[in-house]
Amino acid sequence: MRPTIEVKYPDGRSENVELVKERSIVGRGTNADIRVNDSRVSREHCALELKGDKVYVVDLGGSNGTWLGSTRILANVREPFPQDIVVHVGPAQLRHVSTTPQFDPQSDLESRAFQPVAPMRPQAATAQPAGGAGPAMAAPAGPVGQSAASLQSTQGKLSMNAGERSGMQLSVANQSKIVDHYTLSLVGVPATWVTLPTGGLELLPRQSGNLNVDLHPPRSSRTTAGIHRLNIALLNRQGQVVAQTTAELEILPFDELRVDVRPNPLQSRSGGTLILNVENLGNAETDYRVDVIEPSDSLDIMVDPQTARVAPQQSRDTVIHLKPRKRNWIGSPNRMNMTATVTSSRQSSTVSPTYTQLGTFPRWLPILFLMACCVIIPLFAFLAWPEVKVALTPEPSATGTPENTPTSTPDIPATQTATRAIWLEADDDADGLSNGEELEAGTLPNAKDTDGDQLTDFEELKKEGTDPTNRDTDGDTVDDGEEALDPCLSAISPDTDLDGMRDDIDPDSCTGVTPTPSPVPDFALGGQVNNSDAHLDVLEEARMTWVKVQLRFGLGANPSSAVQDAAKFKEKGFKILLSVVGNKEELQRGGGYNQAFADFLGEIAPIADGIEVWNEPNIQNEWPVGEINPADYTELLRLSYAAIKATNPRTLVISAAPAPTGVNNETVMSDDRFIDGMMAAGARNYMDCVGVHYNAGATPPSATSGHPSDSNGHYSYYFLPMMDLYFDTFNPEGSSKLIPLCFTEIGYVTSDGFDKTLAQIGAKNFTWADGISVRDQAEWLEEALLRSCRSGRVKVFIVWNVDFESYGEDPQAGYAIFRPNEKCPSCETLSRAVGSLRNEGCMK
């Protein structure tokens, strides 16, 4: 029989809900399984999970928390849901109504540890004074004399900054007549803030000792400033609560304002507006002031509003109105650098926007006017020349004398005019246009096809409407003559079917306009760099906004170094994706490695906009041989997701992209089988995005056949089948929410620009790419980017790679868009695609 939960809603009504799913979401969102329509309830507030015949409750990190009885449970930690305990979700209440007990609280360690006081506590227990500084409350778990203890904090209140570490000492006394072993339980703050003593404390009767709690709240906007009440319980050897005390932890406020301005730079002739966005990454509500200075005092600047308040994890916009004090009539653009300063009581942040005042009249206008005068005046004089008729000289009379014979000398200019008129009417090249019409059109009178595009000048002017002096009138790299012969193409439109894809890369220009699905919010383009900021100009040229860096984690790794490395990219205005790979030997040894890896990700989450959890766990290069298992990886993903979200809920959690392969043996598992196993293990619940690698392409993204190495139509060789497989696996029909794709590696390898081919350098696994050119690489990346955004399935598109230099058995430099000649053809095509997608509203 399935467990049934009674839900009492804030409006007083109740209903019984049978738990038919392994994980049911409680919240106010439309996708919640149990919907509580109240502003105090998060969209996804908590989850009820079934494990065997037991029910567990998991808080999903909402600001108001989830309460089991009178105790607030920790975020993202699964806790038992006992039969006789009420779960409070905001103003709503959940309780069991099943008549069949699901489990015995006395035999379940998790349930007993969750009860604040053991049921058999005698009435004679002494209460601790408020504040936790006095004697602790005794809570014997059984008859007097069997187990009794006291717990006392040496500090009633502890103040500290987020990001610091501090210790709290607790005094324990064994007041029983037996030797007992004690451990601690602490609630009131997230588990990631606290490290409890390992091993516990063993005391003889009437012996005392100390247990130390290590407090280390992270420097995060979710580490809320203010007083946090700590409820500390002392557990005996049987896991029963035998004493408890309270203490206060005060988190001091800190300010961290992230400032961004758009557009930057701004260009116009008469001013405009800038939008200054202030995001509060601190842990307390902050008042701030915005001041904008332009040193030359050439602008009238108005800031609206100049002062504002912003809450943690929130942002506000301020409008900066700019108006030049003088007109720039004719001349070079006037560049004005400004400094916008955002000041709070504890911090000051600056950003440097630039305004460029363009000339009212472009500099070339007077030059054009003078040139026009030089052409028009002589032409006017030529056309206005008086026409002189030539008088024919009569033959001399037989009787007349030479002196008396009328004579007339022909007028030379008049003769030239008559000859020119005859020539203008002629058609020297027999193309159907007179010489005069060709002069007027700028074509050659003695050549039928001036621009060499296989269309005569007459056909271009009179039939096609194209430019006879330009073989590619619409600029889509397809000659006018070729497009004129194709009924699906137009020589005067670069996108004949108006589907947003240029004719030269559109596989089917006859289909008409294809509706674009709603894009995934904040679709982004980025590139993976060789762990340095040496070529950030290449990313800027391609209009990339994300940088991917790969890190290696080993036990004892210091997260601060990773944070510092990432900060240099953040300072340049890029968002950062950290791909973190562990050590497979340490993973194989176990011993808490999974949790250590997850904790490391939690430590670096505040600096990361996205984290890819591991890399290609389906091959022996990254995972222990013989132990490749999607369920094991999903458990690692689950722990990592909880740790990341606990310190920075805004960090995008991306599952590890498997290596695309169709092989299955002890050393490798095919990626389709691996992602099926992940889905079956519940990985969909522990990710924001599905990681995908596509790096074996040798055909345009629209192709589904023709790969040099393909003999059986394997999906991994082709872009569209690869995208369909991953999306459909993690988004089955009826899914409550969309899990988008994140291409954390997508690239095309080419040997162009290198002295040796891929075969010659020993890259035997890549010889299928020897026919790919740099132009192919550029155009295919452009098409893949356009298709990704327009599909409505992809959130992140990371180009593999930007500037790697190794060119050997693993030809990483062959994938680089920064080529050996220090040029980047792909930057131009990617930038062009970004412009198109922004115009469509598919990208910001």
Side-chain angles (χ1 to χ4, degrees):
M1 178 179 178
R2 289 279 184 175
T4 301
I5 301 298
E6 179 190 11
V7 183
K8 187 173 183 180
Y9 295 98
D11 58 6
R13 62 187 178 89
S14 299
E15 71 169 338
N16 292 342
V17 178
E18 185 179 2
L19 300 181
V20 297
K21 298 169 62 176
E22 292 185 358
R23 181 180 173 92
S24 300
I25 302 298
V26 182
R28 63 179 171 88
T30 56
N31 294 326
D33 300 294
I34 300 176
R35 190 177 181 192
V36 181
N37 191 12
D38 190 280
S39 60
R40 289 163 289 183
V41 177
S42 302
R43 295 181 185 277
E44 294 188 358
H45 198 102
C46 67
L48 300 178
E49 296 184 351
L50 294 180
K51 187 176 181 182
D53 59 350
K54 299 178 183 179
V55 180
Y56 294 83
V57 60
V58 182
D59 178 72
L60 299 180
S63 57
N64 290 326
T66 304
W67 297 75
L68 198 55
S70 60
T71 304
R72 179 171 178 169
I73 65 177
L74 302 179
N76 300 305
V77 176
R78 186 168 59 192
E79 299 288 358
F81 186 174
Q83 283 280 351
D84 55 349
I85 298 294
V86 176
V87 171
H88 298 272
V89 180
Q93 298 179 7
L94 283 67
R95 57 167 52 89
H96 284 283
V97 295
S98 174
T99 58
T100 303
Q102 294 183 357
F103 55 94
D104 179 7
Q106 295 302 316
S107 64
D108 188 88
L109 178 60
E110 291 179 288
S111 297
R112 290 202 312 274
F114 205 55
Q115 299 172 14
V117 179
M120 299 180 64
R121 187 182 66 183
Q123 298 297 322
T126 57
Q128 174 190 337
M137 176 179 8
V144 176
Q146 286 188 352
S147 179
S150 66
L151 177 68
Q152 181 175 339
S153 171
T154 58
Q155 295 170 281
K157 181 177 180 180
L158 178 66
S159 296
M160 62 185 302
N161 291 309
E164 294 181 348
R165 301 187 80 100
S166 184
M168 175 181 291
Q169 189 176 79
L170 297 162
S171 176
V172 180
N174 183 357
Q175 299 173 347
S176 70
K177 297 181 179 179
I178 61 173
V179 177
D180 215 337
H181 187 91
Y182 300 102
T183 56
L184 293 176
S185 173
L186 185 149
V187 296
V189 295
T192 53
W193 294 19
V194 181
T195 299
L196 296 175
T198 59
L201 179 66
E202 188 169 82
L203 296 177
L204 298 171
R206 299 188 180 182
Q207 186 180 22
S208 299
N210 296 322
L211 287 172
N212 294 311
V213 176
D214 184 20
L215 298 170
H216 42 84
R219 184 178 174 86
S220 165
S221 57
R222 291 185 63 83
T223 306
T224 308
I227 303 295
H228 299 263
R229 186 177 179 87
L230 306 180
N231 296 303
I232 309 167
L234 184 69
L235 282 67
N236 64 7
R237 191 187 307 272
Q238 289 74 35
Q240 297 170 310
V241 177
V242 293
Q244 58 185 3
T245 188
T246 60
E248 290 184 347
L249 173 63
E250 181 185 18
I251 302 297
L252 302 176
F254 72 88
D255 283 357
E256 184 175 341
L257 300 178
R258 177 190 292 168
V259 182
D260 183 37
V261 64
R262 59 184 190 277
N264 187 21
L266 171 66
Q267 295 184 350
S268 72
R269 293 182 172 83
S270 57
T273 58
L274 299 172
I275 303 298
L276 183 76
N277 179 263
V278 180
E279 184 178 6
N280 186 358
L281 302 180
N283 66 342
E285 194 170 44
T286 301
D287 294 305
Y288 65 88
R289 174 187 173 91
V290 179
D291 294 288
V292 183
I293 298 175
E294 192 276 306
S296 68
D297 201 26
S298 301
L299 291 171
D300 286 327
I301 302 174
M302 186 179 74
V303 180
D304 180 29
Q306 189 161 30
T307 60
R309 174 176 294 179
V310 61
Q313 306 179 57
Q314 302 295 319
S315 63
R316 288 201 59 176
D317 286 343
T318 294
V319 182
I320 303 173
H321 301 274
L322 307 176
K323 185 177 181 180
R325 295 186 175 181
K326 294 182 180 179
R327 280 277 189 177
N328 181 17
W329 293 106
I330 299 177
S332 301
N334 186 12
R335 183 184 176 93
M336 306 175 200
N337 296 318
M338 295 169 282
T339 301
T341 304
V342 179
T343 307
S344 69
S345 60
R346 292 177 288 268
Q347 188 210 7
S348 177
S349 299
T350 61
V351 65
S352 300
T354 299
Y355 170 65
T356 301
Q357 184 184 13
L358 304 175
T360 303
F361 299 107
R363 297 181 65 185
W364 49 262
L365 188 61
I367 299 173
L368 180 62
F369 179 76
L370 291 175
M371 293 177 63
C373 290
C374 293
V375 173
I376 293 173
I377 293 175
L379 181 60
F380 178 79
F382 175 78
L383 296 175
W385 193 280
E387 183 177 354
V388 179
K389 294 184 179 180
V390 179
L392 299 178
T393 304
E395 294 184 6
S397 172
T399 59
T401 62
E403 290 81 3
N404 297 327
T405 302
T407 61
S408 177
T409 304
D411 189 287
I412 295 175
T415 302
Q416 292 176 344
T417 300
T419 303
R420 176 180 176 83
I422 294 171
W423 180 83
L424 291 175
E425 293 297 326
D427 180 7
D428 286 359
D429 55 10
D431 63 355
L433 296 174
S434 67
N435 295 338
E437 288 177 310
E438 300 222 47
L439 287 179
E440 185 177 348
T443 56
L444 299 175
N446 60 347
K448 286 187 177 183
D449 181 9
T450 299
D451 56 8
D453 61 1
Q454 307 305 313
L455 288 175
T456 67
D457 297 339
F458 177 85
E459 289 173 329
E460 296 211 58
L461 285 172
K462 303 297 184 180
K463 293 182 178 180
E464 303 295 337
T466 53
D467 183 356
T469 64
N470 182 356
R471 65 188 303 157
D472 179 17
T473 300
D474 55 10
D476 60 1
T477 74
V478 182
D479 284 356
D480 294 342
E482 183 180 343
E483 295 196 271
L485 294 174
D486 190 331
C488 291
L489 298 178
S490 168
I492 58 174
S493 173
D495 179 12
T496 302
D497 59 5
L498 301 178
D499 64 353
M501 191 174 297
R502 267 198 356 250
D503 291 342
D504 58 322
I505 63 174
D506 194 342
D508 186 2
S509 294
C510 284
T511 57
V513 178
T514 302
T516 300
S518 299
V520 174
D522 299 326
F523 176 84
L525 168 65
Q528 181 168 348
V529 298
N530 196 12
N531 290 19
S532 77
D533 57 354
H535 296 111
L536 295 186
D537 57 326
V538 178
L539 282 84
E540 292 172 347
E541 185 181 352
R543 299 169 83 171
M544 296 177 177
T545 57
W546 281 62
V547 177
K548 176 188 171 184
V549 175
Q550 192 165 83
L551 306 176
R552 287 279 174 178
F553 166 79
L555 292 175
N558 184 1
S560 62
S561 61
V563 170
Q564 291 172 2
D565 289 341
K568 63 187 176 185
F569 298 108
K570 301 283 282 189
E571 291 169 359
K572 300 290 185 180
F574 290 93
K575 291 191 173 182
I576 183 73
L577 169 60
L578 296 177
S579 175
V580 185
V581 192
N583 183 296
K584 65 179 182 179
E585 287 77 22
E586 292 178 348
L587 172 67
Q588 191 171 31
R589 287 195 292 268
Y593 181 85
N594 280 9
Q595 188 61 58
F597 178 84
D599 291 342
F600 178 83
L601 299 190
E603 293 282 351
I604 65 175
I607 194 70
D609 297 284
I611 294 178
E612 184 179 18
V613 183
W614 213 274
N615 176 69
E616 299 187 345
N618 64 321
I619 59 175
Q620 64 172 348
N621 293 1
E622 307 288 9
W623 203 267
V625 175
E627 297 183 16
I628 296 173
N629 187 319
D632 290 345
Y633 168 73
T634 300
E635 175 60 15
L636 176 69
L637 180 64
R638 183 187 71 81
L639 295 172
S640 301
Y641 182 87
I644 292 169
K645 294 299 184 180
T647 56
N648 189 359
R650 290 172 300 175
T651 299
L652 188 71
V653 179
I654 306 173
S655 64
T661 176
V663 179
N664 286 288
N665 55 43
E666 186 183 36
T667 63
V668 63
M669 180 183 292
S670 63
D671 55 325
D672 59 340
R673 181 177 166 189
F674 192 86
I675 62 176
D676 280 342
M678 287 175 58
M679 182 64 182
R684 193 177 188 278
N685 300 313
Y686 311 117
M687 65 171 77
D688 299 317
C689 201
V690 182
V692 188
H693 284 177
Y694 178 70
N695 47 32
T699 57
S702 59
T704 56
S705 63
H707 192 287
S709 294
D710 182 26
S711 59
N712 57 0
H714 198 263
Y715 61 85
S716 64
Y717 290 126
Y718 307 104
F719 177 79
L720 293 178
M722 186 87 168
M723 183 163 62
D724 290 342
L725 171 71
Y726 278 68
F727 184 85
D728 293 342
T729 297
F730 287 98
N731 293 278
E733 187 175 353
S735 299
S736 59
K737 65 176 181 178
L738 172 73
I739 304 294
L741 308 181
C742 285
F743 281 97
T744 55
E745 281 186 20
I746 179 167
Y748 297 88
V749 62
T750 170
S751 59
D752 265 12
F754 294 95
D755 294 333
K756 296 181 179 180
T757 66
L758 294 164
Q760 290 170 341
I761 62 172
K764 58 185 179 182
N765 294 326
F766 299 84
T767 54
W768 44 263
D770 265 332
I772 298 177
S773 67
V774 167
R775 179 173 179 177
D776 291 334
Q777 182 191 63
E779 293 180 350
W780 294 350
L781 282 173
E782 178 187 21
E783 184 185 345
L785 177 63
L786 291 170
R787 289 184 177 276
S788 293
C789 191
R790 292 168 181 160
S791 72
R793 296 179 167 193
V794 180
K795 185 173 182 65
V796 175
F797 187 101
I798 301 294
V799 174
W800 165 252
N801 60 74
V802 174
D803 58 353
F804 281 58
E805 298 176 351
S806 173
Y807 187 65
E809 186 174 350
D810 182 6
Q812 298 174 348
Y815 285 94
I817 60 174
F818 187 63
R819 304 306 298 173
N821 60 3
E822 298 189 349
K823 294 182 179 180
C824 179
S826 293
C827 291
E828 179 182 352
T829 58
L830 289 170
S831 176
R832 181 171 61 198
V834 170
S836 298
L837 294 173
R838 287 179 177 173
N839 289 336
E840 297 170 16
C842 198
M843 285 183 72
K844 289 185 178 180

